[in-house]
Amino acid sequence: MSDALDASPYDALLLLSFGGPEGPDDVVPFLENVTRGRGIPKERLKEVGQHYFLFGGVSPINDQNRALLDALRKDFAAHGLDLPVYWGNRNWAPYLTDTLRDIVRDGHRRVLVLATSAYASYSGCRQYRENLAESLAVLASEGLDVPRVDKLRHYFNHPGFVGPMIDGVLKSLADLPGDVREGAHLAFTTHSIPTAAADTSGRVEDHGDGGAYVEEHLDVARLIADAVREETGIEHPWQLVYQSRSGAPSTPWLEPDICDHLEERQAAGAPALVMIPIGFVSDHMEVLYDLDTEAEAKAAELGLPVRRSATVGADPRFAAAVRDLVLERAGKESGRPVTPCALGALGASHDLCPVGCCPSRVTKPAAAGADSPYA
């Protein structure tokens, strides 16, 4: 094996995701896992679960993770990268703790983690790190050797993540009727989060109005919009908007909501619109319901032609990007020369989350960071 494909000191990669129900009987137990500690009554969870019941109680996220897992293994094998890939979820089987236990029992001691969230935020990064710390504590209580766990950097601006989304926008524009295509607006969507969480996202020096969360999404949106202009010769108006709000009405969250944006754009005379879910790695429930169901129904009510661009999913370019990120981090850990690959104005993200990065309201141990109890 060439040095370029040497993943040492790492001996395993963990695909870490959110998880989702795989049948009607799973929906409420899954939501109980997601909301544990918040005291939400079961009847309320049944109401929340209606989005899942509309799709037979099945979230697409697990099948999409299986597809990504397969793509990663095939890419690694095709390029001579000898690194086993495991999969664990925060909220449903295969559970993170069980997978880490398998990793340890298979003899692995240095583990890289790929989270299915590309941006900085508490829910998109630190909460995954807290879950890792909880699972490692369980392994320690069982007398198992706790592995060293490192998380791959945020990959929002890696060409292998951005490139497939550019192609998706071009395809969606081409699918619009010719008489509205040139004037179509672009709405880049991501998960709304409380403004307080956004303002404290990223490193302490990045905290402020919207924090790293908004800044990173704006950078990706600008990259895609510029690439679309270069390809088509047309300057499409664009805006970053939000979806999937779930908090109390009294708590300020990032706005505007995609449905409100559709109303505003239609009233302003936009002839058509493409929705681009840049905040999501795959077409999971919040894409299928909030965009493909709710937002498309709103657009139909308004008489506004819309298309929804594809997420990255298991695109081979994304699998290749993960391979690149693995080799980049392995090279840094081993002292080999590496050149991080990143587009846009922000450059490559930090490898090690510093103290104060994306803080939670209640302080909890978090692995894979400067404040990790499992360094």
Side-chain angles (χ1 to χ4, degrees), residues 120-123 192-203 206-214 245 250-255 356-361:
S121 70
Y122 170 72
S123 58
S192 183
I193 61 175
T195 56
D199 293 345
T200 56
S201 59
R203 302 167 299 178
D206 295 328
H207 293 179
D209 188 14
Y213 186 74
V214 172
R245 173 180 173 141
S250 59
T251 302
W253 284 54
L254 293 173
E255 297 177 336
C357 192
C358 303
S360 59
R361 288 175 297 176

Side-chain angles (χ1 to χ4, degrees), residues 26-148:
D26 295 343
V27 173
V28 171
F30 163 73
L31 292 174
E32 287 176 332
N33 287 342
V34 174
T35 61
R36 181 169 287 116
R38 301 183 201 173
I40 300 176
K42 183 170 288 189
E43 291 305 312
R44 174 57 182 152
L45 294 179
K46 289 179 180 178
E47 294 175 15
V48 173
Q50 290 305 312
H51 295 179
Y52 292 97
F53 292 127
L54 286 174
F55 295 87
V58 178
S59 169
I61 192 170
N62 280 350
D63 277 346
Q64 290 161 1
N65 280 325
R66 291 183 183 101
L68 179 56
L69 194 69
D70 183 62
L72 292 172
R73 288 169 174 165
K74 287 179 177 176
D75 179 272
F76 289 7
H79 292 85
L81 179 58
D82 184 17
L83 190 70
V85 187
Y86 294 78
W87 168 38
N89 291 323
R90 288 170 46 193
N91 298 298
W92 201 248
Y95 288 103
L96 172 58
T97 302
D98 295 335
T99 300
L100 281 171
R101 190 181 291 113
D102 290 341
I103 287 173
V104 169
R105 288 174 174 168
D106 287 344
H108 304 300
R109 294 294 178 266
R110 289 292 300 271
V111 183
L112 270 175
V113 177
L114 168 68
T116 53
S117 177
Y119 302 85
S121 70
Y122 170 72
S123 58
C125 183
R126 184 175 177 89
Q127 192 169 17
Y128 282 91
R129 294 176 48 225
E130 290 176 353
N131 293 144
L132 282 165
E134 291 170 1
S135 293
L136 293 173
V138 171
L139 299 190
S141 71
E142 296 173 350
L144 296 175
D145 291 334
V146 176
R148 164 73 180 269

Side-chain angles (χ1 to χ4, degrees), residues 75 281 292 343 373:
D75 179 272
V281 173
D292 294 356
L343 302 173

Side-chain angles (χ1 to χ4, degrees), residues 302-314:
L302 296 168
L304 179 67
V306 297
R307 296 293 185 271
R308 198 269 290 172
S309 183
T311 52
V312 173

Side-chain angles (χ1 to χ4, degrees), residues 169 186-190 220-221 224-225 238-242 274 276 278:
V169 177
L186 308 179
F188 295 94
T189 77
T190 190
V220 172
I224 296 172
W238 65 270
Q239 186 172 339
L240 177 64
V241 302
Y242 302 92
V274 174
I276 308 135
I278 59 171

